[in-house]
Amino acid sequence: MGDHRSGNGQNVNGKAAAAGPAYKIQLDNFSKRLKTLYTHWNDHRNDLWGSSDVLAIAAPPNSEDLRYLKSSALNMWLLGYEFPETIMVFMKKQIHFLCSQKKADVLRPVERTAKEAVGAEVVIHVKARSDDGTALMEAIFSAIHSLSKADGQEVPVVGYIAREAPEGKLLEIWGEKLKAADFQLNDVTNGLSDLFAVKDDAELLNVKKAAHLTANVLKNYVVPKLENVIDEEKKVTHSSLMDETEKAILDPSRAKVKLKVDSIDICYPPIFQSGGEFDLRPSAASNDELLYYDSASVIICAVGSRYNSYCSNCARTFLIDANPLQSKAYEVLLKAHEAAISMLKTGNKLNAAYQAAFSVVEKDAPELLPNLTKSAGTGMGLEFRESGLNVNAKNERIVKENMVFNVSLGFQNLQNQTNNPKNQNFSMLLADTVIVGKEKSDVATHMSSKAVKDVAYSFNEDEEEEERPKAKPEANGADPIMSKTTLRSDNQESKEELRRQHQAELARQKNEETARRLAGGRSGTGDNRNAAKTSTDLVAYKSVNDLPPPRDSMIQVDQKNEAVLLPIYGSMVPFHVATIRTVSSQQDTNRNCYIRIIFNVPGTPFNPHDSNTSKFQGAIYLKEVAFRSKDSRHISEVVQQIKTLRRQVMARESERAERATLVTQEKLQLAGNRMKPIKLSDLWIRPAFGGRGRKLPGTLEAHVNGFRYSTTRQDERVDIMFGNIKHAFFQPAEKEMITLLHFHLHNHIMVGNRKTKDVQFYVEVMDVVQTLGGGKRSAYDPDEIEEEQRERDRKNKINMDFQNFVNRVNDLWGQPHFGGLDLEFDQPLRELGFHGVPYKASAFIVPTSTCLVELIETPFLVVTLSEIEIVNLERVGLGQKNFDMTIVFKDFKRDVLRIDSIPSTSLDGIKEWLDTTDIKYYESRLNLNWRQILKTITDDPQSFIDDGGWEFLNLEVSDSDSEKSEESDQGYEPSDVQSESDSEEDASDSESLVESEDDDDQDSEEESEEEKGKTWEELEREASNADREKGDESDSEEERKRRKMKAFGKGRAGPSGGMPKRAKMR
């Protein structure tokens, strides 16, 4: 889907321009967007536009290839048409166009408009047909140098689109001359991406029209076409369906849509996939294989159309006689897709949308997480994929109103338990065009339904009813499987019994230890230091002689002395800016402007305590002053200056207060000539340094008594003393994108202006690469194989560099004079990890030999095992998909740590890990109010000791039935809780869909299940085998086809009956 045709009938080329007035630039639109371009360029010149003084955009010649280019997008956005082989150069005071005579005629009307809009003179350089344009290019370069020197710059900074290779003779000459000229070239791709991201009303209307067409092509053409093919059992290839659907897009009347045909084009050739071969990448294509629609098959359709070059997209997955796995996977995907759309709200981060989808899959079907696509879509507009707006787990760009997204989510390479290669492997994909509104997102392609009832078809109902009773005898006699299950259950019981005994011993030891600690009057091992926040005296001027000279009784802001001078009774009275609480201005109907200044006064709500208050108790305080002026501009400047100065002073004082609470560190002893420092280069740091400049990587060095991290900037330096390190971790990249070193400290340090106890240094092991202009790439493409090998080599090299650094530092720490620190890099044990929510987002939490950590997502989680009192596993019970873990620390004044939404599949592994690390754990069915519990313990520790300590959490003591419930947990049989399963069947649609196949057999098998103890998985496997055997031995192929046609007739209305009705999904 990623490569598209640049031409769509909107090109201003030589032949078209011959018509003259056929192309007319909308001057109002041009004026508005030119202002937007220059405003965005000025506001984000350093962070997005590469500090460019000049923008040079060259549009390539026409091409029949399907592609998207930012140069063409800028033409369409600004001028309304594509101008092939045209060079545009934007400067502060001039705009240059280099093009042919016919394009120049179209551009003439913008000369006056550009002057009025941004004050820029338009200069059009007309290239003759036989001219190569060299002289005209020199004239443009000369203009750039002249304007640059006038602005006092020696070397002009020219922004261009670095990823667009020159095409055609004109652009090749331009590219060579641009690089050879005395310019500094910077890429402006990010600036253009951000400029196009937020759409105006006209752009949104084009997107909505494109989405309306796309959704109706799917609803009124594709779906009836597929139903007709399956109904009549036609043999149709994916590529032929692609061709016919493309014709339906270009002729919208086929989809019952009325739009201008000249404004319509495809985004990409429509995609049809089935028969076990699926590709969810944007570059996928329809192959020449036949459409496969037998039982348990999946069909993916994706359609994208453009209106006035603005894109839309919609993808749907159709299920044919879906099995339970396919039904569950689709329901989870649908729920996750809706969750992602719901999180695309103004002010949210893009990764919140992907995280919402991820959390749904993690909660409802954690086994499908490895198959979930790594992205939930991209931004969309003039480009099908707008760079910088990928909806993935790492993108923290803020969602803004009127952004447009292609929300695309899927499961790749799911496996059916079958030997048929056509439906053994299947994938699922859902995609919609979403417009971000003020309060909620609007799904522009909602006309194409993705509800289960509209995409799932059932054809084999009669056949199943005949075959179902025949499977009964087979289900009753699988003794070997039964005995194997029973033996596994016995082993689990013996293992659980050993764990229970060990936990009982730990409980006794823990209660004795807690009793000793409480009896000694210590509730924990916390650090109860209280740092007093000091306040310095506010002095603006030491004497009257230091006051600046007055200026006609005008309010003055003295930036140097951080003071505001107010004219009161003819005298200039200074006030330190820290004494000002708020400042505001307003204007009345007589054009009088007022400025109102409110001061910090003792006794008012939310007023910070100041030492001056107690020092000058008899002082009189000024609460508020107001001034009137006819000069609105001066009033605005004063208000802005006061606010800016106050913000700077408050930030400085806040940082000073933070630093005052820090523990004084020893001084770093740099390595001399005898000992060369151990270095690791090109590292990024978290938390990052402040400031608005571009972030820079740095180098970590191990010196005599600590580490030093520094970048090329003088003020970006962090020293970490060995004696302040509590834990050190090394985590190589395996399934993550980064390799990292993490230090958890005893005492806080300052990183930039942030106070932190956790400092991390990392390297991204993979480069984000976007291929432009390429078509479909085969899995056996040598370039792709080579690229993957390079990524593996890069990851291995980075891991090896980190490992060498860690080994050398461990050797350094092993020296005798560091023996008291007991330092060594710890490595997370990934095989013991589990998913959970320690803060606000789900994360993969991993134990180490001394800690429980999560070092990828921020805020970091580092829990020292030796500081844990007990662990309580909450919401543990029959039928629960998730449970919570509460960690109670030995310091009872410290809040407990809760890790929520841990999958129940991780319960046994967590119990085993806690038991092996000698941590006592308890289980409860509900969440407890731990703040009240700890308060009760600290208020009356003797009662807590007398009542048995932590044994009030022991369900085995407090509930006589708990042991039975634990046993039923291990040997769970549906017949034991038939009433519960019945009620769940009524309440849950998804379960009823899966279990309806065996409703007729359940009563007769109930007694056998109680005696034999079989699991649902075994019964399901036996029934499937029996169905296959009976299907092979009985009934001829013609008979089965006849029954299938009969069932199909029941489940469908004929083509003449309007929109066909979907058969119910099993």
Side-chain angles (χ1 to χ4, degrees):
M1 300 179 196
D3 305 320
H4 311 289
R5 193 181 296 117
S6 63
N8 64 346
Q10 300 293 319
N11 291 329
V12 181
N13 52 33
K15 294 181 181 178
Y23 292 100
K24 186 176 181 181
I25 296 174
Q26 296 181 8
L27 297 182
D28 291 343
N29 193 61
F30 172 79
S31 175
K32 182 177 68 174
R33 293 186 179 173
L34 188 64
K35 288 179 183 177
T36 303
L37 170 61
Y38 272 75
T39 301
H40 192 278
W41 182 14
N42 290 329
D43 293 346
H44 304 280
R45 179 174 173 270
N46 293 326
D47 54 336
L48 294 175
W49 294 92
S51 303
S52 300
D53 305 309
V54 179
L55 303 181
I57 310 297
N62 282 330
S63 172
E64 290 303 316
D65 294 335
L66 294 175
R67 60 182 182 175
Y68 280 132
L69 299 173
K70 279 206 164 30
S71 55
S72 301
L74 181 62
N75 282 177
M76 289 297 307
W77 182 79
L78 185 62
L79 303 170
Y81 305 100
E82 290 184 26
F83 283 74
E85 289 192 288
T86 299
I87 297 170
M88 299 187 295
V89 178
F90 298 89
M91 293 179 267
K92 300 299 181 184
K93 297 179 182 179
Q94 289 183 347
I95 301 175
H96 291 256
F97 292 93
L98 195 162
C99 58
S100 65
Q101 179 64 57
K102 293 175 181 177
K103 297 189 187 75
D105 293 339
V106 180
L107 289 169
R108 294 288 179 196
V110 306
E111 293 176 337
R112 180 178 176 184
T113 305
K115 189 71 174 177
E116 295 173 350
V118 296
E121 177 189 358
V122 173
V123 181
I124 299 178
H125 305 267
V126 180
K127 185 184 81 69
R129 187 183 295 269
S130 59
D131 185 11
D132 63 358
T134 301
L136 301 176
M137 295 175 192
E138 293 294 343
I140 295 175
F141 292 165
S142 176
I144 293 174
H145 280 293
S146 298
L147 290 176
S148 178
K149 289 180 179 178
D151 293 337
Q153 292 185 341
E154 291 292 331
V155 180
V157 181
V158 178
Y160 76 117
I161 305 173
R163 293 183 179 179
E164 290 190 11
E167 297 180 27
K169 183 178 179 182
L170 177 67
L171 266 63
E172 288 175 357
I173 295 174
W174 169 259
E176 291 172 1
K177 285 191 166 295
L178 192 64
K179 292 178 180 178
D182 187 19
F183 299 144
Q184 178 183 337
L185 300 180
N186 286 342
D187 188 19
V188 294
T189 301
N190 292 336
L192 290 171
S193 297
D194 198 67
L195 177 68
F196 299 150
V198 178
K199 278 68 177 175
D200 59 28
D201 292 341
E203 292 177 287
L204 291 178
L205 182 60
N206 288 328
V207 171
K208 289 177 180 178
K209 288 182 177 180
H212 179 70
L213 173 60
T214 299
N216 278 280
V217 166
L218 267 171
K219 177 183 176 182
N220 298 331
Y221 184 81
V222 173
V223 172
K225 179 74 175 177
L226 289 177
E227 290 175 345
N228 180 259
V229 168
I230 299 172
D231 188 12
E232 299 182 8
E233 297 190 359
K234 295 179 180 178
K235 294 184 177 181
V236 181
T237 63
H238 299 131
S239 55
S240 63
L241 287 170
M242 173 194 72
D243 293 336
E244 293 174 16
T245 305
E246 182 173 337
K247 292 176 183 176
I249 295 174
L250 300 177
D251 183 8
S253 60
R254 293 191 184 187
K256 304 176 184 177
V257 175
K258 294 182 179 179
L259 289 173
K260 293 181 181 178
V261 176
D262 293 341
S263 301
I264 292 171
D265 196 6
I266 61 170
C267 277
Y268 55 88
I271 297 172
F272 290 84
Q273 298 178 348
S274 67
E277 295 184 15
F278 297 94
D279 185 358
L280 303 188
R281 293 179 299 178
S283 57
S286 304
N287 58 29
D288 294 326
E289 296 293 324
L290 293 174
L291 184 72
Y292 184 78
Y293 45 82
D294 279 4
S295 181
S297 61
V298 171
I299 301 172
I300 293 179
C301 306
V303 176
S305 65
R306 291 195 285 179
Y307 188 82
N308 285 338
S309 295
Y310 283 85
C311 300
S312 67
N313 187 49
C314 190
R316 295 291 180 259
T317 297
F318 300 100
L319 311 176
I320 312 298
D321 289 324
N323 57 35
L325 172 61
Q326 293 169 335
S327 301
K328 179 182 179 182
Y330 186 83
E331 288 169 1
V332 172
L333 179 62
L334 179 60
K335 187 176 177 181
H337 192 250
E338 292 293 343
I341 292 174
S342 67
M343 289 303 292
L344 287 174
K345 297 178 181 177
T346 304
N348 285 358
K349 293 182 179 179
L350 279 178
N351 57 6
Y354 183 81
Q355 188 58 51
F358 186 91
S359 299
V360 168
V361 179
E362 184 179 43
K363 178 181 178 183
D364 295 349
E367 69 278 7
L368 301 181
L369 276 177
N371 306 95
L372 183 67
T373 52
K374 303 304 179 186
S375 168
T378 61
M380 186 167 60
L382 287 166
E383 299 176 280
F384 186 73
R385 291 182 292 172
E386 291 185 337
S387 56
L389 292 178
N390 290 327
V391 185
N392 55 33
K394 292 191 173 184
N395 197 342
E396 296 190 348
R397 284 277 296 273
I398 301 298
V399 179
K400 299 178 182 177
E401 185 182 359
N402 293 344
M403 281 185 171
V404 178
F405 290 94
N406 167 32
V407 182
S408 177
L409 195 69
F411 288 129
Q412 178 80 53
N413 294 330
L414 297 173
Q415 299 295 319
N416 274 323
Q417 298 298 322
T418 178
N419 294 325
N420 185 353
K422 289 289 187 181
N423 55 18
Q424 186 177 28
N425 176 64
F426 70 94
S427 299
M428 293 182 174
L429 180 67
L430 289 176
D432 276 302
T433 301
V434 177
I435 300 174
V436 179
K438 201 165 191 177
E439 297 179 356
K440 66 176 185 177
S441 299
D442 175 33
V443 181
T445 48
H446 68 277
M447 290 289 292
S448 176
S449 176
K450 56 188 174 187
V452 176
K453 64 183 180 63
D454 293 323
V455 301
Y457 298 89
S458 180
F459 300 142
N460 295 339
E461 292 175 352
D462 293 346
E463 187 175 355
E464 289 164 6
E465 289 174 2
E466 292 174 14
E467 293 183 357
R468 199 175 287 147
K470 298 177 185 179
K472 282 169 136 186
E474 193 71 24
N476 290 333
D479 292 339
I481 298 178
M482 180 272 298
S483 60
K484 184 177 179 181
T485 305
T486 306
L487 181 63
R488 185 168 62 248
S489 177
D490 292 341
N491 289 337
Q492 288 176 350
E493 287 179 7
S494 61
K495 193 174 183 179
E496 180 67 26
E497 182 60 32
L498 291 173
R499 196 160 62 201
R500 190 180 291 116
Q501 293 173 4
H502 185 222
Q503 283 293 305
E505 177 62 23
L506 286 176
R508 184 186 64 78
Q509 296 175 5
K510 181 57 64 179
N511 283 327
E512 291 177 358
E513 177 193 332
T514 306
R516 286 194 302 270
R517 196 167 67 247
L518 292 175
R522 295 182 297 114
S523 63
T525 59
D527 186 2
N528 298 324
R529 290 174 298 160
N530 292 319
K533 193 173 182 179
T534 61
S535 176
T536 57
D537 293 337
L538 299 176
V539 177
Y541 302 99
K542 293 182 179 180
S543 69
V544 179
N545 297 328
D546 295 335
L547 289 174
R551 293 187 304 172
D552 299 331
S553 296
M554 296 177 65
I555 299 175
Q556 296 176 242
V557 179
D558 188 348
Q559 301 278 355
K560 181 180 178 182
N561 294 289
E562 299 173 353
V564 179
L565 291 93
L566 304 178
I568 300 177
Y569 295 117
S571 299
M572 300 303 292
V573 181
F575 294 86
H576 195 280
V577 74
T579 63
I580 296 176
R581 184 177 177 186
T582 60
V583 58
S584 60
S585 63
Q586 63 182 33
Q587 188 172 357
D588 63 13
T589 55
N590 296 325
R591 295 189 177 180
N592 290 321
C593 293
Y594 295 89
I595 181 171
R596 183 187 183 195
I597 301 175
I598 300 175
F599 295 93
N600 290 316
V601 178
T604 56
F606 310 110
N607 181 56
H609 176 73
D610 188 0
S611 61
N612 294 322
T613 304
S614 56
K615 186 181 295 185
F616 307 107
Q617 295 184 0
I620 298 174
Y621 291 89
L622 180 64
K623 183 176 182 181
E624 178 182 335
V625 293
F627 295 89
R628 184 179 64 185
S629 174
K630 292 285 187 181
D631 189 351
S632 61
R633 185 179 62 81
H634 176 66
I635 291 290
S636 299
E637 288 179 358
V638 167
V639 169
Q640 188 61 39
Q641 287 175 0
I642 294 175
K643 286 183 176 179
T644 303
L645 182 59
R646 183 178 180 276
R647 185 166 56 246
Q648 293 171 352
V649 171
M650 296 303 290
R652 186 194 65 209
E653 292 300 319
S654 176
E655 182 179 346
R656 182 182 295 171
E658 288 285 351
R659 291 185 180 275
T661 63
L662 296 177
V663 175
T664 304
Q665 303 284 336
E666 60 181 311
K667 190 174 180 180
L668 182 69
Q669 300 177 24
L670 299 178
N673 296 328
R674 286 191 304 112
M675 171 191 167
K676 290 185 178 180
I678 307 169
K679 292 185 178 182
L680 193 58
S681 303
D682 296 326
L683 302 180
W684 301 93
I685 186 173
R686 290 197 288 186
F689 293 109
R692 297 186 178 182
R694 187 170 65 91
K695 301 295 185 293
L696 297 175
T699 301
L700 182 66
E701 300 177 348
H703 290 276
V704 176
N705 63 337
F707 294 104
R708 168 165 287 180
Y709 174 82
S710 59
T711 70
T712 54
R713 295 193 180 107
Q714 292 293 329
D715 58 336
E716 294 185 350
R717 190 173 71 184
V718 175
D719 292 342
I720 303 174
M721 300 298 108
F722 293 155
N724 194 29
I725 296 175
K726 187 175 183 180
H727 300 292
F729 304 101
F730 163 52
Q731 182 167 317
E734 291 185 19
K735 296 182 180 179
E736 299 84 12
M737 294 288 290
I738 62 174
T739 297
L740 62 88
L741 299 177
H742 188 98
F743 299 104
H744 182 67
L745 310 178
H746 290 286
N747 300 305
H748 290 87
I749 63 171
M750 297 296 291
V751 177
N753 57 359
R754 296 187 187 180
K755 183 178 175 182
T756 183
K757 264 191 176 183
D758 288 279
V759 185
Q760 184 178 110
F761 307 98
Y762 68 95
V763 169
E764 293 183 355
V765 297
M766 289 190 182
D767 293 326
V768 179
V769 177
Q770 183 179 11
T771 303
L772 298 177
K776 176 185 175 184
R777 299 183 70 177
S778 168
Y780 303 101
D781 184 355
D783 292 338
E784 188 143 342
I785 294 173
E786 184 180 351
E787 184 178 324
E788 291 175 358
Q789 184 60 42
R790 280 199 303 269
E791 289 180 353
R792 283 193 295 269
D793 293 343
R794 170 180 164 82
K795 181 172 74 172
N796 293 334
K797 182 181 183 304
I798 290 173
N799 287 343
M800 186 60 66
D801 291 343
F802 271 70
Q803 185 66 64
N804 291 337
F805 179 84
V806 166
N807 291 340
R808 293 179 65 187
V809 172
N810 280 336
D811 293 341
L812 176 65
W813 286 342
Q815 296 177 9
H817 57 280
F818 290 121
L821 298 179
D822 191 23
L823 288 176
E824 186 177 7
F825 276 100
D826 205 352
Q827 195 162 327
L829 305 172
R830 193 182 304 273
E831 60 275 11
L832 299 178
F834 56 90
H835 288 277
V837 183
Y839 298 109
K840 292 183 179 180
S842 179
F844 188 63
I845 302 165
V846 190
T848 72
S849 60
T850 58
C851 296
L852 183 66
V853 301
E854 192 285 305
L855 306 175
I856 303 296
E857 305 294 335
T858 55
F860 304 118
L861 173 70
V862 179
V863 179
T864 306
L865 299 185
S866 61
E867 296 177 357
I868 296 176
E869 176 77 3
I870 61 163
V871 171
N872 195 44
L873 307 176
E874 302 178 349
R875 292 196 304 116
V876 175
L878 187 65
Q880 293 282 359
K881 291 183 179 179
N882 300 295
F883 68 95
D884 305 327
M885 175 192 291
T886 300
I887 297 175
V888 182
F889 296 98
K890 293 178 179 179
D891 181 4
F892 290 166
K893 293 181 180 179
R894 182 176 172 184
D895 285 340
V896 300
L897 173 69
R898 283 182 50 127
I899 302 175
D900 297 328
S901 302
I902 304 172
S904 295
T905 52
S906 303
L907 180 61
D908 285 339
I910 290 175
K911 286 181 180 179
E912 185 68 25
W913 166 67
L914 291 171
D915 191 61
T916 54
T917 51
D918 292 338
I919 295 177
K920 174 59 185 171
Y921 67 83
Y922 294 93
E923 297 180 39
S924 63
R925 295 190 179 92
L926 299 173
N927 293 119
L928 303 180
N929 186 352
W930 281 101
R931 186 164 292 180
Q932 186 61 40
I933 291 173
L934 294 180
K935 184 177 184 301
T936 303
I937 294 173
T938 53
D939 288 348
D940 191 359
Q942 190 58 44
S943 296
F944 171 72
I945 297 171
D946 295 341
D947 292 341
W950 296 110
E951 284 305 290
F952 72 92
L953 296 171
N954 193 343
L955 291 178
E956 292 183 353
V957 175
S958 60
D959 185 0
S960 59
D961 296 332
S962 63
E963 188 174 350
K964 294 180 181 178
S965 92
E966 287 183 9
E967 292 176 359
S968 66
D969 242 322
Q970 296 171 5
Y972 171 61
E973 299 175 1
S975 57
D976 292 341
V977 284
Q978 187 176 1
S979 61
E980 292 180 19
S981 64
D982 289 342
S983 64
E984 289 173 3
E985 203 170 348
D986 295 335
S988 173
D989 292 335
S990 62
E991 289 186 6
S992 65
L993 291 174
V994 177
E995 295 175 1
S996 61
E997 298 181 22
D998 300 317
D999 286 345
D1000 298 338
D1001 303 341
Q1002 187 167 349
D1003 295 336
S1004 61
E1005 293 178 356
E1006 188 173 310
E1007 185 176 335
S1008 170
E1009 289 174 7
E1010 290 180 356
E1011 295 172 358
K1012 305 293 185 181
K1014 294 180 186 175
T1015 63
W1016 272 113
E1017 289 79 4
E1018 293 161 359
L1019 292 173
E1020 186 73 29
R1021 189 163 55 249
E1022 292 172 6
S1024 299
N1025 293 335
D1027 288 347
R1028 284 199 296 270
E1029 291 180 9
K1030 296 300 178 183
D1032 293 339
E1033 294 171 3
S1034 65
D1035 297 344
S1036 64
E1037 180 67 21
E1038 292 78 8
E1039 184 66 19
R1040 288 199 302 276
K1041 187 177 292 187
R1042 182 187 63 79
R1043 283 203 306 272
K1044 179 177 180 180
M1045 291 294 294
K1046 182 179 177 182
F1048 185 81
K1050 283 186 176 183
R1052 292 286 204 292
S1056 61
M1059 279 299 295
K1061 181 180 177 183
R1062 310 296 199 280
K1064 71 182 182 70
M1065 175 180 169
R1066 292 186 285 112

